Amino acid sequence: MNKGYVYLIGAGPGDVRLLTVKGQQCLEKADVVLYDRLVNPLMLEMTKPDAELVYCGKLPDRHLLRQEAINDLLVKYALEGKEVVRLKGGDPSVYGRVGEEAAALEEAGVGYEIVPGITAGIGAATYAGVPVTHRDHGASFAIVTGHDKSPSGQPIIDWKGLATGIDTIAFYMGVKNLPYICEQLIEHGRDPNTPVLLVQWGTVGKQKTLSGNLASISELVRKENFSNPAITLVGEVAKLRTKQSWFERQPLFGKHILFGRTTEGGSDIARELTKLGADVFQYPRFVTKDQQDVTVHFETYDQIIFHSPKSVHWFFDQLKKKRIDIRSLSACFYGASKKSIKAIESYACIGMSVGEMVEEKKRLVIGSSHWEVREKKRVELYSNHDFCVSHRDEIVEQSNFTCQRVLDENRVDTIVFPSAEAVKVVTEHIAHCHETPDSLSSRANIICFGPETYKAASELGYKVDSTLQEPTKEELLNVLQHFK
Ligand code: SAH
């Protein structure tokens, strides 16, 4: 049997787009993913639909035991011949215990690679608008733990060296010990007026910052109830922070949107929202499976209607597989959308819009199984037609698991339903996470695209906050900003 392989990957500080290209490639292929508490759950949506996901959130009082168990699991899965990803927040070699995991794999003779990631000290700082070095304000940079294995949990460090020799210091896991840290730095010669910046949940919509100086920050943290995960940046560079960073200034910063999805590809508008700074979770996730063994005689139809570009590609693939010459077909081709028409034309055939269909001829409609169900309800539209299923969109159950973590972390404040179908699909599946239209309406603003979607949502019991007349990115953006 093939021996498996392990990738020890840094997921970056939070924003899913900060994963490296290599990290993403490994994640997409992995059979098993062991991930940490600080990994953004949305990253799990990049895995194969049947990948096994193992949560390795550490319990504060059981560090050592858990780590050994994780090492054993990595070896076990690899010896079963699996491709394993160990996904850690930030960079795996910065307080990530990657050294221990690598040693365990080494000892077991398992092949592995370490894929670096962006560490929180740098990622959170830059998203808060602060460069960790600057020609005028900081020539050296140190990463320091604010918590260690000493009996008190207070870090044992060369405080004098740190206080007087390093310009910018990033303390990890340091919020609890902040009073001690500030005290030590001041006692060992650092100016009490040195700027300090705390960045909590850096690089995601929940990002929050707190500014002060060595003398004042502990009290501010206490007052604001600021907690981990946060980076404490000490040094002159911290004063470069403006009122809002480039990240926090994005129009949709701080919005956590669950965007109803009904197909594998998802929505272009949802992707645009991400670009505008929102945290967007397209839910649920679908995987498309091509229909095999179809016995339709395409040659016998006069009109063929395609529901999506995917059905167009599937159709031409079928012709090729079955060695049917396109010239033996006499049908005219119609697309249900501009994209479908474009796909038809990419095969050097004329594609027309369904609106151009005049007389009733022998018709074949090709679309996904999901459309077939819908078509049956709307027979009056194409009264005399046969339906051929080109592919099936199946829901990936794993996305309920991602959804549960997103909800647990309170990362949904807006739900967008782009269609009545999306209302139905989301409601059905989110029930696995013990949510109802009522509970969702009270935790989030509900936005519907168009009156039909509004009707479907209201009937199911949602309290709809806004209905877009025009389902465009601009109108959605307007409404979302209005909810601020
Ligand atoms: N390997 C990680 C660090 C793990 S230790 C890395 O390279 O970033 C965990 C600590 O990292 C947290 O207590 C916090 O101090 C910091 N941290 C991780 N993610 C963070 C984030 N998104 N924002 C701020 N601090 C973060």
Side-chain angles (χ1 to χ4, degrees), residues 10 12-15 36-39 88-97 117-125 143-146 171-175 198-204 207-208 228-232:
D15 184 339
D36 273 355
R37 184 177 66 89
L38 284 179
V39 168
K88 292 157 172 289
D91 182 275
S93 69
V94 177
Y95 309 122
R97 297 178 171 235
I118 295 175
T119 191
I122 295 175
I143 284 174
V144 178
T145 176
F171 286 98
Y172 287 59
M173 304 171 278
V175 180
L198 262 78
V199 188
Q200 185 190 41
W201 287 113
T203 81
V204 293
Q207 174 169 308
K208 250 176 73 185
N228 271 320
I231 286 291
T232 305

mmCIF file of all heavy atoms in Angstrom, residues 10 12-15 36-39 88-97 117-125 143-146 171-175 198-204 207-208 228-232, ligand 1:
data_model
loop_
_atom_site.group_PDB
_atom_site.id
_atom_site.type_symbol
_atom_site.label_atom_id
_atom_site.label_comp_id
_atom_site.label_asym_id
_atom_site.label_seq_id
_atom_site.Cartn_x
_atom_site.Cartn_y
_atom_site.Cartn_z
ATOM 1 N N GLY A 10 0.319 26.365 7.295
ATOM 2 C CA GLY A 10 -0.117 27.587 7.973
ATOM 3 C C GLY A 10 -1.322 28.149 7.241
ATOM 4 O O GLY A 10 -1.267 28.391 6.026
ATOM 5 N N GLY A 12 -2.699 31.032 7.849
ATOM 6 C CA GLY A 12 -2.734 32.495 7.894
ATOM 7 C C GLY A 12 -3.610 32.935 9.061
ATOM 8 O O GLY A 12 -4.228 32.113 9.746
ATOM 9 N N PRO A 13 -3.701 34.243 9.266
ATOM 10 C CA PRO A 13 -4.334 34.757 10.484
ATOM 11 C C PRO A 13 -5.868 34.735 10.497
ATOM 12 O O PRO A 13 -6.462 34.914 11.549
ATOM 13 C CB PRO A 13 -3.833 36.198 10.553
ATOM 14 C CG PRO A 13 -3.455 36.546 9.153
ATOM 15 C CD PRO A 13 -3.056 35.290 8.465
ATOM 16 N N GLY A 14 -6.530 34.543 9.359
ATOM 17 C CA GLY A 14 -7.999 34.529 9.411
ATOM 18 C C GLY A 14 -8.635 34.700 8.044
ATOM 19 O O GLY A 14 -9.388 33.841 7.590
ATOM 20 N N ASP A 15 -8.345 35.808 7.389
ATOM 21 C CA ASP A 15 -8.882 36.038 6.040
ATOM 22 C C ASP A 15 -8.529 34.817 5.184
ATOM 23 O O ASP A 15 -7.343 34.500 5.024
ATOM 24 C CB ASP A 15 -8.241 37.318 5.468
ATOM 25 C CG ASP A 15 -8.802 37.698 4.107
ATOM 26 O OD1 ASP A 15 -9.367 36.822 3.417
ATOM 27 O OD2 ASP A 15 -8.657 38.873 3.706
ATOM 28 N N ASP A 36 -7.103 23.479 13.638
ATOM 29 C CA ASP A 36 -7.104 24.089 14.970
ATOM 30 C C ASP A 36 -8.266 25.042 15.172
ATOM 31 O O ASP A 36 -8.911 25.470 14.226
ATOM 32 C CB ASP A 36 -5.804 24.871 15.156
ATOM 33 C CG ASP A 36 -4.721 23.970 15.686
ATOM 34 O OD1 ASP A 36 -5.016 22.806 15.984
ATOM 35 O OD2 ASP A 36 -3.572 24.444 15.797
ATOM 36 N N ARG A 37 -8.416 25.453 16.404
ATOM 37 C CA ARG A 37 -9.503 26.354 16.784
ATOM 38 C C ARG A 37 -9.434 27.702 16.058
ATOM 39 O O ARG A 37 -10.439 28.269 15.686
ATOM 40 C CB ARG A 37 -9.418 26.592 18.293
ATOM 41 C CG ARG A 37 -10.528 27.427 18.881
ATOM 42 C CD ARG A 37 -10.355 27.526 20.383
ATOM 43 N NE ARG A 37 -9.167 28.268 20.738
ATOM 44 C CZ ARG A 37 -9.124 29.587 20.919
ATOM 45 N NH1 ARG A 37 -10.216 30.298 20.784
ATOM 46 N NH2 ARG A 37 -8.010 30.189 21.234
ATOM 47 N N LEU A 38 -8.213 28.200 15.832
ATOM 48 C CA LEU A 38 -8.117 29.547 15.258
ATOM 49 C C LEU A 38 -8.174 29.571 13.732
ATOM 50 O O LEU A 38 -8.080 30.623 13.115
ATOM 51 C CB LEU A 38 -6.847 30.242 15.743
ATOM 52 C CG LEU A 38 -6.904 30.757 17.194
ATOM 53 C CD1 LEU A 38 -5.595 31.403 17.595
ATOM 54 C CD2 LEU A 38 -8.052 31.748 17.384
ATOM 55 N N VAL A 39 -8.349 28.402 13.129
ATOM 56 C CA VAL A 39 -8.471 28.373 11.665
ATOM 57 C C VAL A 39 -9.881 28.836 11.286
ATOM 58 O O VAL A 39 -10.864 28.380 11.872
ATOM 59 C CB VAL A 39 -8.219 26.942 11.150
ATOM 60 C CG1 VAL A 39 -8.621 26.798 9.698
ATOM 61 C CG2 VAL A 39 -6.756 26.559 11.349
ATOM 62 N N LYS A 88 -3.001 24.847 10.636
ATOM 63 C CA LYS A 88 -2.828 25.624 11.868
ATOM 64 C C LYS A 88 -2.992 27.100 11.577
ATOM 65 O O LYS A 88 -2.605 27.566 10.511
ATOM 66 C CB LYS A 88 -1.402 25.435 12.376
ATOM 67 C CG LYS A 88 -1.120 24.051 12.861
ATOM 68 C CD LYS A 88 0.368 23.802 12.792
ATOM 69 C CE LYS A 88 0.663 22.496 13.464
ATOM 70 N NZ LYS A 88 0.489 22.587 14.909
ATOM 71 N N GLY A 89 -3.462 27.845 12.561
ATOM 72 C CA GLY A 89 -3.611 29.288 12.386
ATOM 73 C C GLY A 89 -2.247 29.939 12.179
ATOM 74 O O GLY A 89 -1.234 29.470 12.700
ATOM 75 N N GLY A 90 -2.217 30.999 11.387
ATOM 76 C CA GLY A 90 -0.985 31.764 11.197
ATOM 77 C C GLY A 90 0.093 30.956 10.514
ATOM 78 O O GLY A 90 -0.150 30.289 9.504
ATOM 79 N N ASP A 91 1.279 31.007 11.062
ATOM 80 C CA ASP A 91 2.391 30.210 10.548
ATOM 81 C C ASP A 91 2.578 29.012 11.482
ATOM 82 O O ASP A 91 2.549 29.180 12.698
ATOM 83 C CB ASP A 91 3.673 31.056 10.521
ATOM 84 C CG ASP A 91 4.824 30.254 9.955
ATOM 85 O OD1 ASP A 91 5.474 29.506 10.716
ATOM 86 O OD2 ASP A 91 5.062 30.346 8.739
ATOM 87 N N PRO A 92 2.780 27.812 10.900
ATOM 88 C CA PRO A 92 2.829 26.634 11.780
ATOM 89 C C PRO A 92 4.050 26.613 12.703
ATOM 90 O O PRO A 92 4.057 25.912 13.705
ATOM 91 C CB PRO A 92 2.868 25.461 10.798
ATOM 92 C CG PRO A 92 3.341 26.027 9.517
ATOM 93 C CD PRO A 92 2.908 27.458 9.481
ATOM 94 N N SER A 93 5.066 27.394 12.348
ATOM 95 C CA SER A 93 6.275 27.327 13.163
ATOM 96 C C SER A 93 6.311 28.430 14.213
ATOM 97 O O SER A 93 7.273 28.531 14.970
ATOM 98 C CB SER A 93 7.512 27.392 12.270
ATOM 99 O OG SER A 93 7.619 28.667 11.698
ATOM 100 N N VAL A 94 5.275 29.255 14.269
ATOM 101 C CA VAL A 94 5.234 30.293 15.300
ATOM 102 C C VAL A 94 4.215 29.853 16.354
ATOM 103 O O VAL A 94 3.007 29.883 16.099
ATOM 104 C CB VAL A 94 4.830 31.655 14.696
ATOM 105 C CG1 VAL A 94 4.718 32.713 15.789
ATOM 106 C CG2 VAL A 94 5.851 32.100 13.653
ATOM 107 N N TYR A 95 4.689 29.403 17.475
ATOM 108 C CA TYR A 95 3.848 28.875 18.559
ATOM 109 C C TYR A 95 2.809 27.892 18.007
ATOM 110 O O TYR A 95 1.652 27.911 18.408
ATOM 111 C CB TYR A 95 3.166 30.012 19.341
ATOM 112 C CG TYR A 95 4.167 31.047 19.776
ATOM 113 C CD1 TYR A 95 4.054 32.377 19.403
ATOM 114 C CD2 TYR A 95 5.276 30.661 20.518
ATOM 115 C CE1 TYR A 95 5.017 33.306 19.772
ATOM 116 C CE2 TYR A 95 6.251 31.581 20.875
ATOM 117 C CZ TYR A 95 6.109 32.904 20.505
ATOM 118 O OH TYR A 95 7.062 33.807 20.842
ATOM 119 N N GLY A 96 3.247 27.084 17.085
ATOM 120 C CA GLY A 96 2.314 26.158 16.445
ATOM 121 C C GLY A 96 2.698 24.702 16.660
ATOM 122 O O GLY A 96 2.053 23.809 16.133
ATOM 123 N N ARG A 97 3.747 24.479 17.401
ATOM 124 C CA ARG A 97 4.191 23.122 17.730
ATOM 125 C C ARG A 97 4.510 22.268 16.509
ATOM 126 O O ARG A 97 4.421 21.040 16.558
ATOM 127 C CB ARG A 97 3.131 22.407 18.564
ATOM 128 C CG ARG A 97 2.939 23.122 19.872
ATOM 129 C CD ARG A 97 1.884 22.464 20.687
ATOM 130 N NE ARG A 97 1.901 23.050 22.008
ATOM 131 C CZ ARG A 97 2.031 22.370 23.128
ATOM 132 N NH1 ARG A 97 2.163 21.072 23.091
ATOM 133 N NH2 ARG A 97 2.054 22.986 24.279
ATOM 134 N N GLY A 117 2.925 30.041 6.645
ATOM 135 C CA GLY A 117 1.722 30.871 6.526
ATOM 136 C C GLY A 117 2.045 32.258 7.043
ATOM 137 O O GLY A 117 3.118 32.490 7.596
ATOM 138 N N ILE A 118 1.094 33.167 6.873
ATOM 139 C CA ILE A 118 1.311 34.528 7.388
ATOM 140 C C ILE A 118 1.005 34.516 8.879
ATOM 141 O O ILE A 118 -0.096 34.139 9.292
ATOM 142 C CB ILE A 118 0.394 35.534 6.665
ATOM 143 C CG1 ILE A 118 0.794 35.587 5.189
ATOM 144 C CG2 ILE A 118 0.492 36.913 7.315
ATOM 145 C CD1 ILE A 118 -0.102 36.453 4.345
ATOM 146 N N THR A 119 1.969 34.906 9.658
ATOM 147 C CA THR A 119 1.769 34.870 11.100
ATOM 148 C C THR A 119 0.932 36.064 11.559
ATOM 149 O O THR A 119 0.954 37.137 10.941
ATOM 150 C CB THR A 119 3.139 34.816 11.810
ATOM 151 O OG1 THR A 119 2.916 34.513 13.181
ATOM 152 C CG2 THR A 119 3.922 36.110 11.683
ATOM 153 N N ALA A 120 0.173 35.858 12.656
ATOM 154 C CA ALA A 120 -0.756 36.894 13.120
ATOM 155 C C ALA A 120 -0.046 38.203 13.452
ATOM 156 O O ALA A 120 -0.582 39.284 13.205
ATOM 157 C CB ALA A 120 -1.539 36.393 14.327
ATOM 158 N N GLY A 121 1.155 38.125 13.987
ATOM 159 C CA GLY A 121 1.885 39.340 14.373
ATOM 160 C C GLY A 121 2.076 40.277 13.196
ATOM 161 O O GLY A 121 2.057 41.510 13.351
ATOM 162 N N ILE A 122 2.236 39.724 12.022
ATOM 163 C CA ILE A 122 2.408 40.549 10.822
ATOM 164 C C ILE A 122 1.055 40.786 10.136
ATOM 165 O O ILE A 122 0.712 41.910 9.780
ATOM 166 C CB ILE A 122 3.417 39.893 9.862
ATOM 167 C CG1 ILE A 122 4.800 39.858 10.532
ATOM 168 C CG2 ILE A 122 3.470 40.652 8.538
ATOM 169 C CD1 ILE A 122 5.873 39.134 9.749
ATOM 170 N N GLY A 123 0.247 39.710 9.998
ATOM 171 C CA GLY A 123 -1.050 39.839 9.317
ATOM 172 C C GLY A 123 -1.988 40.807 10.033
ATOM 173 O O GLY A 123 -2.556 41.715 9.420
ATOM 174 N N ALA A 124 -2.133 40.615 11.352
ATOM 175 C CA ALA A 124 -3.066 41.466 12.102
ATOM 176 C C ALA A 124 -2.551 42.903 12.119
ATOM 177 O O ALA A 124 -3.328 43.858 12.022
ATOM 178 C CB ALA A 124 -3.240 40.929 13.519
ATOM 179 N N ALA A 125 -1.230 43.062 12.231
ATOM 180 C CA ALA A 125 -0.663 44.421 12.269
ATOM 181 C C ALA A 125 -0.948 45.146 10.955
ATOM 182 O O ALA A 125 -1.448 46.279 10.954
ATOM 183 C CB ALA A 125 0.839 44.343 12.522
ATOM 184 N N ILE A 143 9.150 38.532 17.788
ATOM 185 C CA ILE A 143 7.925 37.814 18.119
ATOM 186 C C ILE A 143 8.159 37.187 19.490
ATOM 187 O O ILE A 143 9.168 36.502 19.691
ATOM 188 C CB ILE A 143 7.661 36.731 17.050
ATOM 189 C CG1 ILE A 143 7.120 37.404 15.790
ATOM 190 C CG2 ILE A 143 6.724 35.657 17.566
ATOM 191 C CD1 ILE A 143 6.954 36.466 14.615
ATOM 192 N N VAL A 144 7.266 37.458 20.420
ATOM 193 C CA VAL A 144 7.491 37.016 21.798
ATOM 194 C C VAL A 144 6.198 36.425 22.356
ATOM 195 O O VAL A 144 5.106 36.936 22.068
ATOM 196 C CB VAL A 144 7.923 38.224 22.677
ATOM 197 C CG1 VAL A 144 8.117 37.803 24.134
ATOM 198 C CG2 VAL A 144 9.191 38.868 22.139
ATOM 199 N N THR A 145 6.329 35.373 23.126
ATOM 200 C CA THR A 145 5.118 34.822 23.736
ATOM 201 C C THR A 145 4.777 35.593 25.010
ATOM 202 O O THR A 145 5.659 35.956 25.780
ATOM 203 C CB THR A 145 5.252 33.312 24.026
ATOM 204 O OG1 THR A 145 4.068 32.892 24.711
ATOM 205 C CG2 THR A 145 6.455 32.997 24.906
ATOM 206 N N GLY A 146 3.491 35.796 25.211
ATOM 207 C CA GLY A 146 3.040 36.487 26.413
ATOM 208 C C GLY A 146 2.622 35.496 27.485
ATOM 209 O O GLY A 146 2.040 35.873 28.507
ATOM 210 N N PHE A 171 3.610 40.616 20.917
ATOM 211 C CA PHE A 171 3.346 39.597 21.931
ATOM 212 C C PHE A 171 2.148 38.771 21.485
ATOM 213 O O PHE A 171 1.089 39.308 21.160
ATOM 214 C CB PHE A 171 3.039 40.235 23.290
ATOM 215 C CG PHE A 171 4.252 40.806 23.963
ATOM 216 C CD1 PHE A 171 4.530 42.163 23.881
ATOM 217 C CD2 PHE A 171 5.126 39.986 24.680
ATOM 218 C CE1 PHE A 171 5.654 42.695 24.498
ATOM 219 C CE2 PHE A 171 6.254 40.517 25.302
ATOM 220 C CZ PHE A 171 6.521 41.876 25.206
ATOM 221 N N TYR A 172 2.337 37.449 21.500
ATOM 222 C CA TYR A 172 1.249 36.517 21.201
ATOM 223 C C TYR A 172 0.699 36.006 22.527
ATOM 224 O O TYR A 172 1.453 35.843 23.491
ATOM 225 C CB TYR A 172 1.771 35.316 20.396
ATOM 226 C CG TYR A 172 2.118 35.628 18.953
ATOM 227 C CD1 TYR A 172 3.079 36.579 18.630
ATOM 228 C CD2 TYR A 172 1.504 34.934 17.904
ATOM 229 C CE1 TYR A 172 3.403 36.845 17.308
ATOM 230 C CE2 TYR A 172 1.829 35.199 16.583
ATOM 231 C CZ TYR A 172 2.778 36.151 16.295
ATOM 232 O OH TYR A 172 3.095 36.407 14.986
ATOM 233 N N MET A 173 -0.545 35.678 22.564
ATOM 234 C CA MET A 173 -1.198 35.086 23.748
ATOM 235 C C MET A 173 -0.952 35.936 24.988
ATOM 236 O O MET A 173 -0.810 35.408 26.087
ATOM 237 C CB MET A 173 -0.652 33.657 23.991
ATOM 238 C CG MET A 173 -0.813 32.758 22.795
ATOM 239 S SD MET A 173 0.046 31.186 22.964
ATOM 240 C CE MET A 173 1.711 31.614 22.503
ATOM 241 N N GLY A 174 -0.902 37.245 24.798
ATOM 242 C CA GLY A 174 -0.413 38.071 25.890
ATOM 243 C C GLY A 174 -1.455 38.863 26.654
ATOM 244 O O GLY A 174 -1.104 39.600 27.580
ATOM 245 N N VAL A 175 -2.730 38.751 26.309
ATOM 246 C CA VAL A 175 -3.703 39.670 26.910
ATOM 247 C C VAL A 175 -3.799 39.491 28.427
ATOM 248 O O VAL A 175 -3.800 40.459 29.181
ATOM 249 C CB VAL A 175 -5.090 39.526 26.241
ATOM 250 C CG1 VAL A 175 -6.082 40.478 26.879
ATOM 251 C CG2 VAL A 175 -4.979 39.817 24.758
ATOM 252 N N LEU A 198 -3.325 46.916 20.406
ATOM 253 C CA LEU A 198 -3.828 45.539 20.463
ATOM 254 C C LEU A 198 -4.735 45.301 19.261
ATOM 255 O O LEU A 198 -5.592 46.146 18.961
ATOM 256 C CB LEU A 198 -4.637 45.321 21.748
ATOM 257 C CG LEU A 198 -3.860 44.643 22.883
ATOM 258 C CD1 LEU A 198 -2.960 45.656 23.550
ATOM 259 C CD2 LEU A 198 -4.800 44.033 23.891
ATOM 260 N N VAL A 199 -4.558 44.180 18.614
ATOM 261 C CA VAL A 199 -5.442 43.827 17.490
ATOM 262 C C VAL A 199 -6.066 42.472 17.782
ATOM 263 O O VAL A 199 -5.367 41.466 17.881
ATOM 264 C CB VAL A 199 -4.670 43.746 16.154
ATOM 265 C CG1 VAL A 199 -5.639 43.583 14.990
ATOM 266 C CG2 VAL A 199 -3.766 44.950 15.959
ATOM 267 N N GLN A 200 -7.385 42.490 17.925
ATOM 268 C CA GLN A 200 -8.103 41.251 18.215
ATOM 269 C C GLN A 200 -8.759 40.742 16.935
ATOM 270 O O GLN A 200 -9.234 41.539 16.129
ATOM 271 C CB GLN A 200 -9.167 41.557 19.261
ATOM 272 C CG GLN A 200 -9.921 40.356 19.758
ATOM 273 C CD GLN A 200 -11.119 40.764 20.599
ATOM 274 O OE1 GLN A 200 -11.820 41.712 20.256
ATOM 275 N NE2 GLN A 200 -11.350 40.069 21.675
ATOM 276 N N TRP A 201 -8.771 39.442 16.745
ATOM 277 C CA TRP A 201 -9.367 38.826 15.545
ATOM 278 C C TRP A 201 -8.910 39.542 14.268
ATOM 279 O O TRP A 201 -9.735 39.912 13.427
ATOM 280 C CB TRP A 201 -10.898 38.836 15.602
ATOM 281 C CG TRP A 201 -11.476 37.862 16.579
ATOM 282 C CD1 TRP A 201 -12.157 38.154 17.714
ATOM 283 C CD2 TRP A 201 -11.426 36.433 16.499
ATOM 284 N NE1 TRP A 201 -12.535 36.997 18.360
ATOM 285 C CE2 TRP A 201 -12.100 35.922 17.634
ATOM 286 C CE3 TRP A 201 -10.873 35.517 15.593
ATOM 287 C CZ2 TRP A 201 -12.239 34.562 17.884
ATOM 288 C CZ3 TRP A 201 -11.012 34.164 15.850
ATOM 289 C CH2 TRP A 201 -11.685 33.704 16.969
ATOM 290 N N GLY A 202 -7.610 39.772 14.175
ATOM 291 C CA GLY A 202 -7.078 40.473 13.013
ATOM 292 C C GLY A 202 -7.402 39.776 11.700
ATOM 293 O O GLY A 202 -7.496 38.553 11.639
ATOM 294 N N THR A 203 -7.609 40.557 10.669
ATOM 295 C CA THR A 203 -7.838 40.158 9.265
ATOM 296 C C THR A 203 -9.232 39.584 8.972
ATOM 297 O O THR A 203 -9.505 39.170 7.855
ATOM 298 C CB THR A 203 -6.765 39.179 8.684
ATOM 299 O OG1 THR A 203 -7.054 37.849 9.110
ATOM 300 C CG2 THR A 203 -5.354 39.567 9.090
ATOM 301 N N VAL A 204 -10.111 39.515 9.975
ATOM 302 C CA VAL A 204 -11.490 39.096 9.689
ATOM 303 C C VAL A 204 -12.456 40.205 10.110
ATOM 304 O O VAL A 204 -12.051 41.181 10.745
ATOM 305 C CB VAL A 204 -11.864 37.747 10.357
ATOM 306 C CG1 VAL A 204 -11.092 36.595 9.759
ATOM 307 C CG2 VAL A 204 -11.654 37.797 11.859
ATOM 308 N N GLN A 207 -12.462 42.047 13.437
ATOM 309 C CA GLN A 207 -11.239 42.753 13.881
ATOM 310 C C GLN A 207 -11.581 43.979 14.740
ATOM 311 O O GLN A 207 -12.430 44.792 14.385
ATOM 312 C CB GLN A 207 -10.430 43.192 12.658
ATOM 313 C CG GLN A 207 -9.218 44.052 13.016
ATOM 314 C CD GLN A 207 -8.295 44.259 11.826
ATOM 315 O OE1 GLN A 207 -7.889 43.321 11.172
ATOM 316 N NE2 GLN A 207 -7.957 45.502 11.536
ATOM 317 N N LYS A 208 -10.881 44.067 15.865
ATOM 318 C CA LYS A 208 -11.067 45.197 16.776
ATOM 319 C C LYS A 208 -9.693 45.636 17.255
ATOM 320 O O LYS A 208 -8.809 44.796 17.435
ATOM 321 C CB LYS A 208 -11.880 44.750 17.995
ATOM 322 C CG LYS A 208 -13.271 45.335 18.025
ATOM 323 C CD LYS A 208 -14.098 44.813 19.166
ATOM 324 C CE LYS A 208 -13.706 45.354 20.522
ATOM 325 N NZ LYS A 208 -14.479 44.718 21.610
ATOM 326 N N ASN A 228 -8.273 37.494 24.170
ATOM 327 C CA ASN A 228 -7.626 36.758 23.086
ATOM 328 C C ASN A 228 -8.668 36.278 22.082
ATOM 329 O O ASN A 228 -9.827 36.161 22.454
ATOM 330 C CB ASN A 228 -6.882 35.547 23.663
ATOM 331 C CG ASN A 228 -5.456 35.920 24.037
ATOM 332 O OD1 ASN A 228 -4.799 36.661 23.310
ATOM 333 N ND2 ASN A 228 -4.992 35.409 25.168
ATOM 334 N N PRO A 229 -8.335 35.957 20.843
ATOM 335 C CA PRO A 229 -7.001 36.047 20.282
ATOM 336 C C PRO A 229 -6.656 37.486 19.884
ATOM 337 O O PRO A 229 -7.389 38.114 19.121
ATOM 338 C CB PRO A 229 -7.083 35.159 19.033
ATOM 339 C CG PRO A 229 -8.512 35.242 18.624
ATOM 340 C CD PRO A 229 -9.308 35.417 19.888
ATOM 341 N N ALA A 230 -5.568 37.952 20.436
ATOM 342 C CA ALA A 230 -5.134 39.304 20.085
ATOM 343 C C ALA A 230 -3.616 39.372 20.085
ATOM 344 O O ALA A 230 -2.949 38.632 20.808
ATOM 345 C CB ALA A 230 -5.696 40.306 21.079
ATOM 346 N N ILE A 231 -3.127 40.267 19.249
ATOM 347 C CA ILE A 231 -1.699 40.548 19.186
ATOM 348 C C ILE A 231 -1.481 41.870 19.896
ATOM 349 O O ILE A 231 -2.264 42.808 19.719
ATOM 350 C CB ILE A 231 -1.267 40.680 17.703
ATOM 351 C CG1 ILE A 231 -1.218 39.313 17.037
ATOM 352 C CG2 ILE A 231 0.045 41.414 17.553
ATOM 353 C CD1 ILE A 231 -0.102 38.422 17.532
ATOM 354 N N THR A 232 -0.433 41.934 20.708
ATOM 355 C CA THR A 232 -0.080 43.203 21.331
ATOM 356 C C THR A 232 1.191 43.704 20.660
ATOM 357 O O THR A 232 2.230 43.049 20.722
ATOM 358 C CB THR A 232 0.200 43.001 22.842
ATOM 359 O OG1 THR A 232 -0.944 42.378 23.424
ATOM 360 C CG2 THR A 232 0.481 44.327 23.529
HETATM 361 N N1 SAH B 1 0.760 30.086 14.741
HETATM 362 C C1 SAH B 1 0.033 31.285 15.049
HETATM 363 C C2 SAH B 1 0.088 31.648 16.517
HETATM 364 C C3 SAH B 1 -0.553 30.649 17.434
HETATM 365 S S1 SAH B 1 -0.549 31.157 19.103
HETATM 366 C C4 SAH B 1 0.549 32.421 14.168
HETATM 367 O O1 SAH B 1 1.585 32.295 13.536
HETATM 368 O O2 SAH B 1 -0.131 33.455 14.102
HETATM 369 C C5 SAH B 1 -2.143 31.888 19.261
HETATM 370 C C6 SAH B 1 -2.050 33.376 19.382
HETATM 371 O O3 SAH B 1 -1.835 33.965 18.134
HETATM 372 C C7 SAH B 1 -3.289 34.047 19.916
HETATM 373 O O4 SAH B 1 -3.392 33.995 21.317
HETATM 374 C C8 SAH B 1 -3.079 35.474 19.444
HETATM 375 O O5 SAH B 1 -2.150 36.131 20.247
HETATM 376 C C9 SAH B 1 -2.441 35.224 18.089
HETATM 377 N N2 SAH B 1 -3.431 35.244 17.001
HETATM 378 C C10 SAH B 1 -3.770 34.238 16.195
HETATM 379 N N3 SAH B 1 -4.665 34.639 15.275
HETATM 380 C C11 SAH B 1 -4.908 35.932 15.515
HETATM 381 C C12 SAH B 1 -5.712 36.937 14.895
HETATM 382 N N4 SAH B 1 -6.487 36.653 13.848
HETATM 383 N N5 SAH B 1 -5.676 38.176 15.405
HETATM 384 C C13 SAH B 1 -4.909 38.487 16.450
HETATM 385 N N6 SAH B 1 -4.132 37.592 17.073
HETATM 386 C C14 SAH B 1 -4.114 36.342 16.611
#
